[in-house]
Every structure is written in structure tokens, then in C-alpha cells.
Amino acid sequence: MSKPVTIVVGSHVWVENAELIWTDGEVLKINGQEAEIKTSDENTVTAKVSKLRPKDTEIPAGGVDDMTKLSYLHEPGVLHNLATRYEISEIYTYTGNILIAVNPFQTLSHLYDASMMKKYSGVPFGELSPHVFAIADAAYREMVNERKSNSILVSGESGAGKTETTKMLMRYLAYLGGNAAAEGRTVEQQVLESNPVLEAFGNAKTVKNNNSSRFGKFVEIQFDNRGRISGAAIRTYLLERSRVCQISDFERNYHCFYLLCAAPEKEREKYKLVDPQSYHYLNQSSCYELVDIDDAQFYLSTRRAMTVIGISEVEQEAIFRVVAAILHLGNIDFANGEDHDSSVIKDDQSLFHLQMAAELLMCNPRALEDALCKRVMITPEEIIKRSLDPLGASVSRDGLAKTIYSQLFNWLVDKINVSIGQDPSSKCLIGVLDIYGFESFKTNSFEQFCINYTNEKLQQHFNKHVFKTEQEEYTKEEIDWSYIEFVDNKDVLDLIEQKKGGIIALLDEACMFPKSTHETFSTKLYQTFKNNKRFIKPKLTRSDFTVVHYAGEVQYQSDQFLDKNKDYVVPEHRDLLSASKCPFVAGLFPPVSEEAAKSSKFSSISSRFRLQLQQLMETLNSTEPHYIRCIKPNNLLKPAVFENVSVIQQLRSGGVLEAVRIKCAGFPTYRNFSEFLTRFRILAPEVLKMECPENEACKKILEKMGLKDYQIGKTKVFLRVGQMAVLDAQRTLMHGNSAKVIQTRGRTLVTRKKFVSIQMASICIQSVCRGELARKLYKLKKQEFAAVKIQKTSRKRLARKDYLRMIFSSVLLQAHLRAMVARDDFKSKRSAAVTIQSGLRAMAARDDLRYKVEAAVVIQTGLRAIAARDAYRKRAKSSAAVITQTDLEEPKEKEATKSEASKQAKTDLEEAKVEEATKLESSVKDKNGPKEAKGEESTKLESSVKVDEKSVLVESRAAAIEIDKTSPMIQKLPGPDQDADIIKILTAEVENLKVMLQAEKQRANEFERRYLEARVSSEQGHKKLEETERIVHQLQDSLNSVFQDDILHVEPSFGAQNNIVYCIKIKFSFWASC
């Protein structure tokens, strides 16, 4: 039989994504083993069908509170459900009876107050939403009801919230089982107050967490027969001693060092302490303070917690003296001594810190220096003291500091246990295990190896518990599960802890030989495990090795494995501190007898840790376990940020996906009969008509689909891996086919409805359109009639306009013609006036000359008469006098007659000039009329004529006056000398007349030039007038044609009357501009 189809076109699936790990999409096309998927972000990708995971489209919008309810229990389904719940601030989710807690990185006080404790108290597990109180309540109720010890295992990586979860568990257990007093203080109060003390001395800031526990802790809370807390004990595992002397950047040493540096000034002065930046064990990192944490307040709360758990003031003083001494020890530097391989205190500053350390430890400073710089070698023959070089002395100093701190921490744990007190008669307990999670860094040393070894043991215990839970479910439903194979990680544990040939055994063996190095140890590992599939020898390294853990591969650097595995105290250090005058310091290093020292076997950290771990596993195996897996959603330690890459790695390392794998090995999906039939009844609708029992109906549906290896229980259907996907694929196909039929019928119905509606709408539209067309036709005819009437009126107005325009043009032309005739007349008259003036002037000149000649003749005659009188006097005096008087009177009369004739001519000339000027003025005024453009020219011409007229009158008058003036002068000249003067005057007068004649000629020429210019401008105006008339006629013809088109094609929205008015306005504006 071919493999069942689980992915079809239209299936909703999960596809791998580089950034998001998994992203959802819909299958568009399948070509053999390749599928084309359209993802939710509108991208199209291609992937192999075998790598796709089906997606449950019926999951609620807020996810499910128990992931066993998921139809598809696989990696993307678990990840998506956690992310969905985290978005709505649901940080707790069940996986069966396992609680997954996602760190919110914010305070959610409403989840842990007294009302919430009361809400979960006594409620059966699973009835309320997931919560850490539900796990604690289930453990407590099971212990009380079944009289059996329980344990709660809290695990997760650094920063996942293990410590806070442990606090909440202990608070709730104290709430349930309080009121048992011991020495005036309640046991639960001492248990809760022990947390700040252990955090101060056992927690530190790491790159991933500001309050990371650097040790494992198992708290046993003992209860009496009434379910009250009667005692408690705290067991610790594998304190990270190397952190005392060496820290990485952005990390901190243990909190107690910084608390002491932030203590009140009086106490710091007592211990000679300053800022943390001044101490070598603290200034290796640039981080000295924590955000939102006040070390000074933390110090005071730690001192109060010490008091609550029963540590006296004297003991507290001694504890912080030891802490201060460790800080001073770290500032002791060494330099080369006199010998090449010896060392001495480097400078005065180092000497000061040596003396302070000795003073605080209450030991001899010289003995402390020798213990740091020298070693004692005991041989059968003698005791030899060997000096250490500066590097060896520094290593000895760091070893002493680590030893002191380790012993101090063990003393604190023992003191807390003694102070709280254990109940030997207690039969039941609840253990809370707060232990480090799986670790994998760039550099992994001995501590990471032990931590991951612990997690391998816990994962084995977890796998057994999950398998046991599954087994109980199968047994309850009475199904056959004997053929299910349980996959364990025993091969990895054998690789690590096998007594003969394991990594720990080979490490202890290497530590027993003084000449062994990390390279020889690594070589031994390569040879021993070269064929082990869980062990890998990395390339390009000589001492590293890789172990394939359940959570992935981890590469370890074996450089310091041997040094960190040696669990012994340097005898010189022990002797020095055991001889201390401080009872507290001496109590940390009790003296060891020689027989005990000789009889003691080799001891190592790994062996002791393995023994502690075995004891822990024995305790856990004797209890009913409950599991809490803490998850850190992001590495930024910020709320509302869910990083898929980080979370999926924690799910793998936390064993959640391993539990999923175990469930998938059996029947990962099971549904009640009613739920199964509700979801898949579409696959066999005929089965529901048979009215058979629900289990039979489910079986017939599965048989119809051709599935095998499923199980039908008493109330549930159990499906193997992939069978749910097969059913969903068939359901998707059935839905698709049904959808096609429904769509066909639906489209037919919709199309018919659409057709009918369109038909009705078209009829309605047609009737409306016909009515609209009729109304428009009526309106058009009405507008046509109005347009004809408007055209008639407009044509009448246009004809009248043309008539008026022609009259205006005629008047204008007449005015121009009259102006031209007037100018011609003026020119002729002006020419005649000039001729007359020239004739008159010539005549006046001739008359003047004649007068002067006659005067000269008279004078000559007079002279001759005088001469004759003189001659005649002698002849006849009387007769001569009569003749002379007659001759003199005759010329005078002639001269008077000539003067009057000249004056009369001048008067006639002036009157003719005035009359001609008047006619010219009237002709110019007649030409002035409608053309305002010629007004200025006519005005200038009139003014020039008047000026000329005035000048002619003035000149004529001036000439008459000159003649009048000249005549008497001529009459009065009596003799020849006067004749000469008169000739000169007459000559000058003739010259003046010539000049005046020339001026008159120039004026006549100027008037003629102006006349020609006026005539030319008149002709140009006439031409423009004709051109304008022609354009007007063209515009009239074009407007008449346009007007006729507008009347024939008139629009309802614009009346013909408006067009006619518009045309008339255009014509008026045009004529106005012309």
C-alpha cells in the first residue's frame, strides 16, 4: 500500500524559515516531491513535501492552555502556541502535567497576590488556567492525600526566571503549610528569607541574566502529619568558584562584593574598602552596577535576612571581614625576587593589601606572604621549601581566594540548615530543585561540562516520567502499547559517568598523575571514544572535544579541566587559616589529623559532584516529580519580544521537544469519541446514519480511510504520528470538493439573481431614459423656438448695429475729407497770404524807396533853390520867394497821399489774414468729430495758425510804425548830412524786411510740412478704418455661422439667448476697442 497523503493542494502547513525558524503558509501546487507554498507574508517559496509540517487551522485565536490538545504536536505547533499566548500576556502553558513558564521581563503582581493564592488553593489540577501555583498546589495535595513525597524541578537557562519561579513556589507552599514555629521564627519565614542570603553569595550578573544562580539548589520543605511546615533543608551543588578570581566583560562577580563596597561609610572604613573599580577581582569587567538595583539597600536587606535566619551580629561581622579580605587578596601583586624562580611583594600598595588581608583574617602577614610565595615539599628524608615565581604566586593567591570563598559559602548553607532546623520525624516533604539549565557558549570549560552532565541526568529522569505518564494514560484506556520503544539518553550518560572508561574516570586518572596535561588527557579521550557516535574530535584543535548531548553538540575546551577538577586545599593555606586568631576563620578550616591526611584517598570535584548527583537522583526517584520549564523569550531581556530562534533552542535544551518526541513515539494525538466524530464525520456521513456506538463509528471512519496501528480506547481514539494529518488532508479534500459544489450552486444562484436584477434594472433604466429623452426633446424644441426668436432679435440688433456703424464710419470719413479740404484751402490761402505779404512788402519797399528818392530830389531841389535864391535875391527878392513856397508844398502833399495809401493797404492785408485764419480754424474744428486720436494734431494746427496770424499782425503793425517813424524823420532832414543818415536807416530797414521775409518763408514751409504729415496720418487712419470694417464683416459672418450652429445644436444647460447676448457683447467690446 502506498504511503498515505498528508499534504495536498490547499493544505495549511508550516515551512522552514531562516529567520523565524518556521512560518505558516498555504500549498498552491505540488510537483512530485516539491511543493509551492504562499506564506502568510505574501511570499512564495518552494520546499520539499517531506519537510513540511501540517498546521491546525482550528486552533483558538489565543492558543491552547495545554499543548496536548494540539492536533499536531510538533516543533512549529509548540512554538506558535507559546508565541500566541505570550502576545496576550499568558506566560504559563501546560504540556500534560509539565508547566512551561515564559519570562515576561516585567512585573505581573496580579498573578501572585493573596487572592490568586486563594483562587488556586484546593482546585483540581487543570481546571484553572496554567499557573505555577497550580503545580505547587498539585504537589501539596498529592503529598497530603497520598502521604507521598513530591518534588518540583525548575530548570531553564540563565535569565529564564528559575529563581523567581522558585520564590513563588516557596511562597505558595508557605501559604498552604504555615504556622509551624521554631525558635520564635516561623520555618517558612526562614526558608523565604534564606533566598536573599544565598542570592547575595551565590548569584551574579552574567551576559544573559542580571541575577543568575551560579550553583544548584535543592530545597527540601518538610511537613508534619497535619500538612504544616515543620522543617527544611537546603542542599547546594557545584558553586562556580572560578568566578571569584576571573570574570568576563559585561559580567559581575558575586553580589556580596559589590554590596560590601556600597555599605555605610563607617563599615567601609573599618574594612579599608573603596569603590569596586579599585579591586582586581572586580575591575576585570566594566560593569559595576545593576539597573534598578541599589547595592546599598541590597546590603541592608541582606543583613536583615541574615538576622531572620539566625546568623548573629558577630557571625555577620566575621562573614564580611572574610569577603573584604578576599578583595584585598586580589590586589596583591608579585615581582621577581633575588632568585630567578622566586617572587616577592611588588610594591607598597601590594604590601598594604597584604597587611589588610592578614589583619582581616587575623593571621601573621609574614606567614601569609610565605604561604603565597612558597611551597613545602615533604620527602622521606627532609622537608624542602620551594619558592614560586610571580605567576605561580598569583595562581596560589587566586587558589587561596577561591578556597576561602567556597568554604564561606558552604558554611552559610550549613548555618541556614541548622538555623531553620530539620524535622527528623517528618514523613513527607516537597523538594524544589532550582538548578542551572543546559549551557553552550563559545568557550565551554569544566563548569559547563558538569552543568550539562547534570541536565543529562535530569533529562533521563524527565523522559522516564513523560513515558510513565503516557503509559498510565494508555493503561487507563486499556489499549495495547507493548510495541512502543522508549528512546533514552543512556548512551550519553555512559560516555560521561561510566566507572571504567568514562570521561570523568579518565579525568580523575589524569589528575592523579603529576605530569599529566590537558593535551595528554584529550589524547586519551580521542583514543578511547574514537568509535563512539556521541563523541566527536573537532578539527584544527589539539585538546578540544565535542559531546553530542540531547540538546545538541557542545565543544569543550580542556585547558583547565585538570586544575578545576582537583579538590584539595594547599596545606600551607590550611595551616595558615586554621591558626587564625579569628574563631570564624579558623572554623572554616578545621585542622586535619596526619592519620586522616595519610588515609584519605584522591578526591576530585567531578567525583564528588557525581556522588552528589546520584544522591539527588535517588531523592527525586523517591518522590513524585513535577516539572517547570522556564523559557527566556529574548536575549535583550525586554518585555513583549518573542525571538523564535532563542525559544526553540531553549525548548530543545529544556527537554520539551524531547518530551514531544517521546509522545510521538507512542500515540501523540488522542481525542474523545465525540470530538473525533464532530471533526471527521464528513469523511463517512453514511456511518452516522447507522446509529452505531461512538467507538464503532470512529473505527469505521478510520477503516474507510485505510489507517492502521491506531487504537480505540474506552473513551478516546489514539492516533500514531501522521495519521491526524492524513485525516485532515482527506477532510481538506472533502471540504474542497464540497466547496466546489457549493460554489457552483452558489455562483449559479448568484448569477441568476444578478441577471434578474440586471434585467429589472435595465427595464427601469430604459423607462427612465425614455422619459429623460422625451423631456430633453421637449426642452430642445422649446430652446429651438427660443433660439429662433433670439436669433431674430439679435439679427435685428446686429443690422441696426451695422447701420449705426456705417453712419459712424460715414461721419468719420466726412470729417476726414472735410479736414483734408480745409487743409488744402488753408494751404492755398496761406500761399495767397504769403504772396500778398511779399507783394505788400515789395510795394512798401518800393514806395519807401520812391519816397526817399523824392525826398532826395526835394532836398536837392531845396539846395538848388537856396543856391538859386541866393542868385535870384540879387535879381528879384519877392518873385523868388513865391516860387520856392509852391515847390515845397507840392511834394508834401504827395508824400501824405502815399502814406495814407500805404496804411490803407496794411489794414486790408490784416483783415484778409484774420478772415483766412478764421476759416482755417472753422475747418479744423469740423474735422475734429468722432476720432479723438486726431484731436491733438488739429489742436496743434489751430494753435500754430493762431500764432502765425498773430505774428503777421504784429509784423504788419511794426512795419507801419516804422514807416510812420521814418516819414517824419525824412521830412525833418534839412540838409545833405541828414540825407546820408536817412539812407543808412533805410538800408537797415530794407535788411530787416529781408530777414522778416525769410522768416515768413520758413514758417510757410513749416506749415506745409505739418499739413503733409496730417494728411498722411489721415490716410493711414482711413486705411485702418477700412481694415477694421473688413474684420468686422468677417467676424459678423463667422458669428452668424456659429450662431446658426448653436441654434441647431443647442444644449439644454445653455440657452440660445445667452449665446446671442454673448456675441452682442463681443461686438460692442470690439467696436469700443476699435
Side-chain angles (χ1 to χ4, degrees):
M1 185 177 177
S2 62
K3 185 177 180 181
V5 178
T6 59
I7 304 296
V8 296
V9 175
S11 296
H12 292 268
V13 296
W14 293 100
V15 61
E16 292 181 347
N17 182 279
E19 297 180 357
L20 302 176
I21 305 299
W22 295 95
T23 184
D24 61 326
E26 182 179 356
V27 178
L28 300 178
K29 189 188 301 181
I30 297 178
N31 297 323
Q33 296 299 319
E34 299 288 333
E36 184 177 334
I37 302 102
K38 183 179 181 181
T39 60
S40 56
D41 54 0
E42 301 300 328
N43 293 327
T44 303
V45 298
T46 303
K48 292 184 178 180
V49 177
S50 59
K51 292 187 177 181
L52 301 179
R53 300 291 182 270
K55 178 185 177 182
D56 186 8
T57 58
E58 297 184 1
I59 188 172
V64 294
D65 57 0
D66 190 347
M67 285 191 286
T68 58
K69 298 177 182 179
L70 293 173
S71 299
Y72 303 107
L73 190 59
H74 46 48
E75 185 175 290
V78 172
L79 183 65
H80 177 258
N81 189 63
L82 290 177
T84 302
R85 290 180 60 78
Y86 188 72
E87 288 179 359
I88 59 176
S89 299
E90 293 289 345
I91 62 173
Y92 294 116
T93 307
Y94 289 136
T95 302
N97 57 359
I98 304 167
L99 179 67
I100 298 177
V102 184
N103 194 340
F105 290 118
Q106 59 182 328
T107 303
L108 302 176
S109 57
H110 66 282
L111 289 180
Y112 309 105
D113 54 14
S115 62
M116 191 64 68
M117 292 183 184
K118 184 178 180 180
K119 178 180 178 180
Y120 278 87
S121 178
V123 178
F125 182 80
E127 287 191 6
L128 297 177
S129 58
H131 201 285
V132 65
F133 291 163
I135 296 292
D137 190 80
Y140 181 79
R141 300 301 168 190
E142 189 171 357
M143 180 203 68
V144 172
N145 296 331
E146 300 183 9
R147 312 304 298 171
K148 183 179 181 180
S149 297
N150 282 253
S151 59
I152 303 174
L153 285 72
V154 183
S155 64
E157 73 170 38
S158 179
K162 300 185 301 296
T163 302
E164 293 300 320
T165 301
T166 302
K167 291 179 183 178
M168 297 304 156
L169 288 170
M170 296 176 67
R171 277 186 57 199
Y172 188 78
L173 292 175
Y175 168 79
L176 294 177
N179 300 330
E183 300 180 3
R185 297 181 302 274
T186 61
V187 175
E188 64 271 16
Q189 184 181 4
Q190 296 180 74
V191 171
L192 293 175
E193 289 295 337
S194 67
N195 283 326
V197 178
L198 293 178
E199 285 183 9
F201 290 87
N203 289 22
K205 180 191 181 303
T206 62
V207 177
K208 296 183 177 181
N209 184 13
N210 291 342
N211 190 31
S212 175
S213 299
R214 307 316 299 164
F215 66 100
K217 177 176 65 175
F218 184 71
V219 181
E220 295 180 356
I221 303 177
Q222 300 165 349
F223 295 85
D224 57 17
N225 295 330
R226 297 178 299 170
R228 299 294 181 181
I229 297 176
S230 58
I234 300 175
R235 311 187 192 282
T236 60
Y237 305 92
L238 194 65
L239 177 71
E240 188 180 1
R241 300 196 305 172
S242 60
R243 180 170 290 270
V244 177
C245 306
Q246 183 179 3
I247 56 176
S248 301
D249 199 11
F250 304 112
E251 293 189 352
R252 292 210 320 175
N253 211 318
Y254 290 105
H255 294 323
C256 60
F257 295 111
Y258 302 92
L259 303 186
L260 189 58
C261 291
E265 184 66 26
K266 182 179 179 181
E267 297 190 22
R268 285 191 295 164
E269 181 64 26
K270 180 169 54 177
Y271 302 133
K272 296 296 188 293
L273 294 178
V274 290
D275 296 333
Q277 294 88 332
S278 303
Y279 299 101
H280 172 66
Y281 287 162
L282 305 183
N283 61 19
Q284 300 174 35
S285 169
S286 59
C287 179
Y288 300 101
E289 297 179 354
L290 297 179
V291 180
D292 300 330
I293 298 296
D294 186 358
D295 288 331
Q297 294 296 326
F298 195 3
Y299 172 79
L300 297 178
S301 63
T302 303
R303 294 293 293 260
R304 287 194 297 268
M306 286 182 171
T307 303
V308 171
I309 62 177
I311 300 178
S312 64
E313 290 293 333
V314 176
E315 291 172 333
Q316 293 180 33
E317 177 73 18
I319 289 171
F320 287 106
R321 285 175 63 90
V322 172
V323 173
I326 293 174
L327 289 178
H328 286 293
L329 275 177
N331 280 15
I332 301 174
D333 295 330
F334 302 93
N336 291 320
E338 297 178 356
D339 297 334
H340 177 68
D341 57 349
S342 64
S343 60
V344 295
I345 302 301
K346 183 177 181 179
D347 49 25
D348 293 341
Q349 189 71 19
S350 299
L351 182 61
F352 167 75
H353 288 292
L354 175 70
Q355 294 173 351
M356 283 305 305
E359 180 181 344
L360 293 171
L361 295 175
M362 294 186 180
C363 61
N364 190 346
R366 184 62 184 172
L368 177 59
E369 181 179 357
D370 290 343
L372 296 177
C373 299
K374 295 180 181 180
R375 285 290 177 272
V376 176
M377 299 180 63
I378 301 176
T379 63
E381 292 81 9
E382 58 181 344
I383 298 176
I384 303 173
K385 277 192 175 183
R386 179 173 63 87
S387 299
L388 300 176
D389 58 5
L391 179 60
S394 299
V395 172
S396 176
R397 174 203 65 196
D398 293 342
L400 176 60
K402 290 188 288 186
T403 300
I404 294 174
Y405 194 83
S406 177
Q407 292 297 106
L408 173 63
F409 186 78
N410 292 336
W411 183 90
L412 281 172
V413 174
D414 294 339
K415 181 65 177 179
I416 290 172
N417 289 333
V418 171
S419 177
I420 295 175
Q422 300 187 40
D423 183 9
S425 62
S426 176
K427 301 296 182 179
C428 299
L429 61 87
I430 294 179
V432 180
L433 178 64
D434 176 9
I435 200 164
Y436 19 66
F438 190 88
E439 293 185 351
S440 178
F441 306 126
K442 291 183 179 179
T443 301
N444 300 287
S445 188
F446 179 71
E447 290 82 6
Q448 281 70 44
F449 177 78
C450 294
I451 288 171
N452 293 340
Y453 167 48
T454 303
N455 281 274
E456 286 286 356
K457 294 289 287 186
L458 294 175
Q459 185 63 33
Q460 185 185 42
H461 182 268
F462 177 72
N463 292 347
K464 290 180 179 179
H465 171 71
V466 172
F467 184 74
K468 180 182 178 182
T469 304
E470 288 293 302
Q471 179 182 347
E472 291 177 352
E473 182 68 24
Y474 301 154
T475 304
K476 178 181 176 182
E477 290 291 325
E478 298 180 358
I479 65 172
D480 183 14
W481 55 271
S482 57
Y483 55 87
I484 298 176
E485 296 181 0
F486 171 65
V487 180
D488 199 0
N489 60 340
K490 188 175 182 303
D491 52 349
V492 183
L493 293 173
D494 291 341
L495 172 69
I496 297 174
E497 67 179 3
Q498 195 172 14
K499 292 185 177 180
K500 294 182 179 180
I503 295 178
I504 293 177
L506 294 177
L507 180 61
D508 290 345
E509 182 180 343
C511 291
M512 294 175 66
F513 293 97
K515 294 184 179 182
S516 294
T517 63
H518 65 280
E519 293 182 352
T520 60
F521 168 64
S522 299
T523 303
K524 185 67 173 178
L525 293 179
Y526 299 154
Q527 294 174 355
T528 306
F529 305 114
K530 60 182 179 180
N531 296 325
N532 194 315
K533 64 179 181 179
R534 293 285 191 170
F535 185 89
I536 300 175
K537 179 184 181 300
K539 297 179 180 179
L540 305 177
T541 59
R542 299 180 59 185
S543 60
D544 295 0
F545 64 93
T546 299
V547 177
V548 182
H549 293 281
Y550 72 93
E553 298 180 1
V554 180
Q555 183 173 337
Y556 298 100
Q557 288 71 40
S558 63
D559 300 354
Q560 300 180 4
F561 264 54
L562 272 67
D563 294 335
K564 292 181 178 181
N565 187 47
K566 296 176 181 178
D567 183 25
Y568 66 94
V569 180
V570 177
E572 291 81 358
H573 297 169
R574 181 182 293 277
D575 294 341
L576 171 71
L577 297 176
S578 61
S580 172
K581 296 180 181 179
C582 176
F584 180 81
V585 176
L588 296 178
F589 297 91
V592 181
S593 62
E594 295 183 1
E595 295 180 358
K598 292 180 180 179
S599 61
S600 61
K601 298 181 180 180
F602 172 78
S603 176
S604 66
I605 295 293
S606 59
S607 298
R608 184 161 57 88
F609 182 71
R610 179 174 59 183
L611 181 61
Q612 290 179 341
L613 192 56
Q614 289 177 353
Q615 295 174 354
L616 174 63
M617 298 310 299
E618 290 176 359
T619 302
L620 295 178
N621 290 330
S622 64
T623 62
E624 185 65 26
H626 303 268
Y627 292 92
I628 299 177
R629 292 290 187 256
C630 297
I631 302 295
K632 181 171 67 175
N634 61 80
N635 293 323
L636 303 175
L637 310 182
K638 293 183 178 181
V641 178
F642 194 89
E643 296 178 352
N644 289 354
V645 177
S646 175
V647 173
I648 200 66
Q649 180 61 34
Q650 294 176 70
L651 291 175
R652 291 168 182 167
S653 61
V656 176
L657 297 182
E658 188 72 11
V660 170
R661 187 174 63 84
I662 293 173
K663 290 179 70 67
C664 290
F667 300 97
T669 305
Y670 42 86
R671 290 288 183 271
N672 293 330
F673 292 148
S674 58
E675 294 178 0
F676 185 84
L677 291 175
T678 301
R679 182 163 183 167
F680 298 112
R681 61 186 176 185
I682 190 175
L683 298 178
E686 68 278 1
V687 174
L688 299 179
K689 299 177 182 179
M690 297 180 182
E691 297 183 358
C692 55
E694 289 184 340
N695 57 348
E696 291 293 333
C698 295
K699 186 175 181 180
K700 289 182 179 181
I701 292 175
L702 294 171
E703 289 176 352
K704 181 180 179 180
M705 293 296 104
L707 299 181
K708 296 182 179 180
D709 297 334
Y710 60 84
Q711 292 288 336
I712 304 295
K714 296 172 64 177
T715 61
K716 298 178 182 178
V717 177
F718 291 82
L719 302 176
R720 299 300 297 268
V721 176
Q723 290 182 345
M724 191 71 171
V726 173
L727 294 173
D728 273 341
Q730 294 298 323
R731 180 167 168 263
T732 300
L733 290 175
M734 188 70 70
H735 281 161
N737 295 332
S738 302
K740 289 177 182 178
V741 174
I742 294 172
Q743 287 174 354
T744 302
R745 299 296 178 86
R747 290 193 185 105
T748 302
L749 181 61
V750 170
T751 305
R752 177 166 181 79
K753 286 184 177 180
K754 187 176 180 181
F755 170 76
V756 172
S757 62
I758 291 174
Q759 186 180 29
M760 297 299 295
S762 62
I763 294 172
C764 181
I765 292 171
Q766 287 174 1
S767 61
V768 172
C769 290
R770 290 190 184 98
E772 185 67 22
L773 288 174
R775 285 188 292 273
K776 285 186 177 180
L777 184 60
Y778 170 75
K779 188 175 182 181
L780 183 61
K781 289 182 178 180
K782 187 177 180 181
Q783 289 176 350
E784 184 178 358
F785 176 77
V788 170
K789 190 172 182 180
I790 292 170
Q791 287 176 357
K792 180 178 66 175
T793 305
S794 61
R795 287 193 185 99
K796 181 178 70 175
R797 293 175 62 111
L798 289 175
R800 179 173 178 78
K801 180 77 174 178
D802 292 342
Y803 171 73
L804 293 176
R805 180 175 58 79
M806 292 175 66
I807 292 176
F808 174 77
S809 300
S810 300
V811 172
L812 184 63
L813 290 173
Q814 290 173 1
H816 279 282
L817 291 174
R818 289 190 183 99
M820 186 173 63
V821 171
R823 283 191 294 270
D824 291 341
D825 189 20
F826 171 76
K827 185 176 181 181
S828 63
K829 288 181 179 181
R830 186 171 179 272
S831 178
V834 171
T835 302
I836 292 169
Q837 288 177 359
S838 63
L840 289 175
R841 289 188 185 101
M843 185 177 65
R846 283 191 299 270
D847 290 342
D848 190 20
L849 179 61
R850 189 182 300 112
Y851 174 74
K852 289 179 180 180
V853 170
E854 289 177 353
V857 171
V858 171
I859 291 170
Q860 291 176 359
T861 303
L863 291 175
R864 289 184 187 103
I866 292 172
R869 277 193 304 271
D870 289 339
Y872 181 73
R873 189 180 291 127
K874 293 175 179 181
R875 299 172 183 168
K877 186 174 181 182
S878 57
S879 57
V882 175
I883 295 169
T884 305
Q885 181 69 28
T886 304
D887 291 336
L888 287 173
E889 288 177 357
E890 184 179 356
K892 287 182 181 180
E893 291 176 358
K894 291 180 181 180
E895 188 68 29
T897 303
K898 291 181 181 179
S899 176
E900 289 177 1
S902 178
K903 289 181 179 180
Q904 183 65 33
K906 289 181 181 178
T907 303
D908 295 338
L909 179 61
E910 288 176 358
E911 291 177 356
K913 287 183 180 181
V914 170
E915 183 179 358
E916 185 177 358
T918 304
K919 290 180 180 181
L920 181 61
E921 181 179 359
S922 62
S923 65
V924 169
K925 288 182 179 179
D926 292 337
K927 293 177 184 178
N928 216 354
K931 296 191 70 174
E932 296 177 358
K934 304 301 179 178
E936 294 180 2
E937 184 178 354
S938 300
T939 304
K940 291 180 180 179
L941 185 59
E942 181 181 356
S943 63
S944 65
V945 170
K946 289 182 179 181
V947 171
D948 291 339
E949 180 184 354
K950 290 178 180 180
S951 64
V952 170
L953 292 175
V954 171
E955 288 174 0
S956 62
R957 290 173 183 172
I961 292 170
E962 290 292 333
I963 292 172
D964 292 337
K965 288 181 179 180
T966 304
S967 297
M969 289 178 65
I970 294 174
Q971 293 176 2
K972 292 177 182 180
L973 290 177
D977 293 333
Q978 293 178 350
D979 290 340
D981 294 335
I982 291 170
I983 291 170
K984 290 181 182 179
I985 293 170
L986 291 174
T987 304
E989 182 67 23
V990 170
E991 292 298 326
N992 289 333
L993 290 173
K994 288 181 181 180
V995 171
M996 292 172 64
L997 180 61
Q998 186 67 27
E1000 289 297 326
K1001 288 181 180 180
Q1002 289 179 358
R1003 287 191 184 94
N1005 293 334
E1006 179 66 22
F1007 277 114
E1008 186 176 1
R1009 184 183 62 78
R1010 289 181 181 179
Y1011 168 73
L1012 292 176
E1013 290 178 354
R1015 186 173 182 179
V1016 170
S1017 63
S1018 176
E1019 291 176 355
Q1020 290 178 354
H1022 185 66
K1023 289 180 181 180
K1024 289 182 179 179
L1025 184 62
E1026 291 178 351
E1027 181 68 21
T1028 303
E1029 186 176 1
R1030 184 181 60 81
I1031 294 172
V1032 167
H1033 284 296
Q1034 290 179 356
L1035 286 174
Q1036 184 175 359
D1037 295 338
S1038 61
L1039 288 173
N1040 289 335
S1041 61
V1042 171
F1043 192 63
Q1044 290 175 2
D1045 294 338
D1046 290 340
I1047 291 174
L1048 294 176
H1049 304 284
V1050 64
E1051 295 180 0
S1053 62
F1054 191 85
Q1057 185 177 0
N1058 296 333
N1059 290 332
I1060 296 301
V1061 172
Y1062 180 71
C1063 294
I1064 292 170
K1065 287 183 178 179
I1066 289 176
K1067 285 201 140 189
F1068 275 117
S1069 63
F1070 176 79
W1071 280 108
S1073 65
C1074 290

